[in-house]
PDB file of all heavy atoms in Angstrom:
ATOM      1  N   ALA A  32      91.416  31.885 -13.123  1.00 41.00           N
ATOM      2  CA  ALA A  32      90.819  30.863 -13.908  1.00 41.00           C
ATOM      3  C   ALA A  32      91.224  29.514 -13.493  1.00 41.00           C
ATOM      4  O   ALA A  32      92.144  29.325 -12.721  1.00 41.00           O
ATOM      5  CB  ALA A  32      91.223  31.122 -15.372  1.00 41.00           C
ATOM      6  N   LEU A  33      90.546  28.277 -13.919  1.00 38.00           N
ATOM      7  CA  LEU A  33      90.872  26.901 -13.649  1.00 38.00           C
ATOM      8  C   LEU A  33      91.907  26.419 -14.606  1.00 38.00           C
ATOM      9  O   LEU A  33      92.157  26.978 -15.624  1.00 38.00           O
ATOM     10  CB  LEU A  33      89.651  26.030 -13.824  1.00 38.00           C
ATOM     11  CG  LEU A  33      88.557  26.255 -12.830  1.00 38.00           C
ATOM     12  CD1 LEU A  33      87.383  25.277 -13.079  1.00 38.00           C
ATOM     13  CD2 LEU A  33      89.082  26.049 -11.481  1.00 38.00           C
ATOM     14  N   VAL A  34      91.117  25.114 -14.766  1.00 37.00           N
ATOM     15  CA  VAL A  34      91.419  24.037 -15.538  1.00 37.00           C
ATOM     16  C   VAL A  34      91.673  24.589 -16.936  1.00 37.00           C
ATOM     17  O   VAL A  34      91.124  25.163 -17.481  1.00 37.00           O
ATOM     18  CB  VAL A  34      90.370  22.975 -15.688  1.00 37.00           C
ATOM     19  CG1 VAL A  34      89.903  22.702 -15.908  1.00 37.00           C
ATOM     20  CG2 VAL A  34      89.504  22.381 -15.376  1.00 37.00           C
ATOM     21  N   ALA A  35      92.027  24.766 -16.946  1.00 38.00           N
ATOM     22  CA  ALA A  35      92.810  25.071 -18.127  1.00 38.00           C
ATOM     23  C   ALA A  35      92.911  26.531 -18.559  1.00 38.00           C
ATOM     24  O   ALA A  35      92.700  26.915 -19.504  1.00 38.00           O
ATOM     25  CB  ALA A  35      93.056  24.505 -18.133  1.00 38.00           C
ATOM     26  N   MET A  36      93.298  27.355 -18.386  1.00 40.00           N
ATOM     27  CA  MET A  36      93.209  28.781 -18.180  1.00 40.00           C
ATOM     28  C   MET A  36      94.263  29.436 -19.124  1.00 40.00           C
ATOM     29  O   MET A  36      95.117  30.213 -18.687  1.00 40.00           O
ATOM     30  CB  MET A  36      93.543  29.117 -16.728  1.00 40.00           C
ATOM     31  CG  MET A  36      92.574  28.432 -15.829  1.00 40.00           C
ATOM     32  SD  MET A  36      93.011  28.717 -14.033  1.00 40.00           S
ATOM     33  CE  MET A  36      91.782  27.751 -13.212  1.00 40.00           C
ATOM     34  N   ILE A  37      94.192  29.208 -20.371  1.00 35.00           N
ATOM     35  CA  ILE A  37      95.101  29.785 -21.335  1.00 35.00           C
ATOM     36  C   ILE A  37      94.352  30.188 -22.555  1.00 35.00           C
ATOM     37  O   ILE A  37      93.272  29.772 -22.899  1.00 35.00           O
ATOM     38  CB  ILE A  37      96.192  28.771 -21.725  1.00 35.00           C
ATOM     39  CG1 ILE A  37      95.613  27.529 -22.333  1.00 35.00           C
ATOM     40  CG2 ILE A  37      97.101  28.457 -20.615  1.00 35.00           C
ATOM     41  CD1 ILE A  37      96.576  26.536 -22.814  1.00 35.00           C
ATOM     42  N   GLY A  38      94.964  31.091 -23.336  1.00 39.00           N
ATOM     43  CA  GLY A  38      94.340  31.625 -24.554  1.00 39.00           C
ATOM     44  C   GLY A  38      94.734  30.743 -25.765  1.00 39.00           C
ATOM     45  O   GLY A  38      95.397  29.762 -25.625  1.00 39.00           O
ATOM     46  N   PHE A  39      94.384  31.305 -26.887  1.00 39.00           N
ATOM     47  CA  PHE A  39      94.651  30.593 -28.111  1.00 39.00           C
ATOM     48  C   PHE A  39      96.060  30.876 -28.651  1.00 39.00           C
ATOM     49  O   PHE A  39      96.573  31.983 -28.491  1.00 39.00           O
ATOM     50  CB  PHE A  39      93.604  31.013 -29.181  1.00 39.00           C
ATOM     51  CG  PHE A  39      92.194  30.727 -28.791  1.00 39.00           C
ATOM     52  CD1 PHE A  39      91.321  31.781 -28.607  1.00 39.00           C
ATOM     53  CD2 PHE A  39      91.760  29.424 -28.515  1.00 39.00           C
ATOM     54  CE1 PHE A  39      90.031  31.543 -28.200  1.00 39.00           C
ATOM     55  CE2 PHE A  39      90.467  29.181 -28.152  1.00 39.00           C
ATOM     56  CZ  PHE A  39      89.575  30.217 -27.995  1.00 39.00           C
ATOM     57  N   SER A  40      96.604  29.917 -29.360  1.00 40.00           N
ATOM     58  CA  SER A  40      97.894  30.102 -30.028  1.00 40.00           C
ATOM     59  C   SER A  40      97.538  30.558 -31.425  1.00 40.00           C
ATOM     60  O   SER A  40      96.369  30.641 -31.809  1.00 40.00           O
ATOM     61  CB  SER A  40      98.664  28.818 -30.073  1.00 40.00           C
ATOM     62  OG  SER A  40      97.958  27.865 -30.950  1.00 40.00           O
ATOM     63  N   GLY A  41      98.568  30.866 -32.239  1.00 38.00           N
ATOM     64  CA  GLY A  41      98.293  31.363 -33.573  1.00 38.00           C
ATOM     65  C   GLY A  41      97.936  30.193 -34.538  1.00 38.00           C
ATOM     66  O   GLY A  41      97.541  30.421 -35.635  1.00 38.00           O
ATOM     67  N   ALA A  42      98.102  28.984 -34.066  1.00 45.00           N
ATOM     68  CA  ALA A  42      97.788  27.815 -34.944  1.00 45.00           C
ATOM     69  C   ALA A  42      96.341  27.678 -35.166  1.00 45.00           C
ATOM     70  O   ALA A  42      95.524  27.932 -34.350  1.00 45.00           O
ATOM     71  CB  ALA A  42      98.413  26.576 -34.282  1.00 45.00           C
ATOM     72  N   ALA A  43      96.023  27.250 -36.389  1.00 51.00           N
ATOM     73  CA  ALA A  43      94.615  26.994 -36.745  1.00 51.00           C
ATOM     74  C   ALA A  43      94.078  25.776 -36.016  1.00 51.00           C
ATOM     75  O   ALA A  43      94.807  24.837 -35.719  1.00 51.00           O
ATOM     76  CB  ALA A  43      94.545  26.770 -38.261  1.00 51.00           C
ATOM     77  N   LEU A  44      92.834  25.842 -35.596  1.00 54.00           N
ATOM     78  CA  LEU A  44      92.212  24.773 -34.896  1.00 54.00           C
ATOM     79  C   LEU A  44      91.279  24.035 -35.859  1.00 54.00           C
ATOM     80  O   LEU A  44      90.574  24.614 -36.660  1.00 54.00           O
ATOM     81  CB  LEU A  44      91.456  25.285 -33.717  1.00 54.00           C
ATOM     82  CG  LEU A  44      92.280  25.966 -32.636  1.00 54.00           C
ATOM     83  CD1 LEU A  44      91.412  26.564 -31.592  1.00 54.00           C
ATOM     84  CD2 LEU A  44      93.255  24.958 -32.016  1.00 54.00           C
TER      85      LEU A  44
END
Side-chain angles (χ1 to χ4, degrees):
L33 293 180
V34 100
M36 301 174 184
I37 56 178
F39 301 115
S40 66
L44 297 173

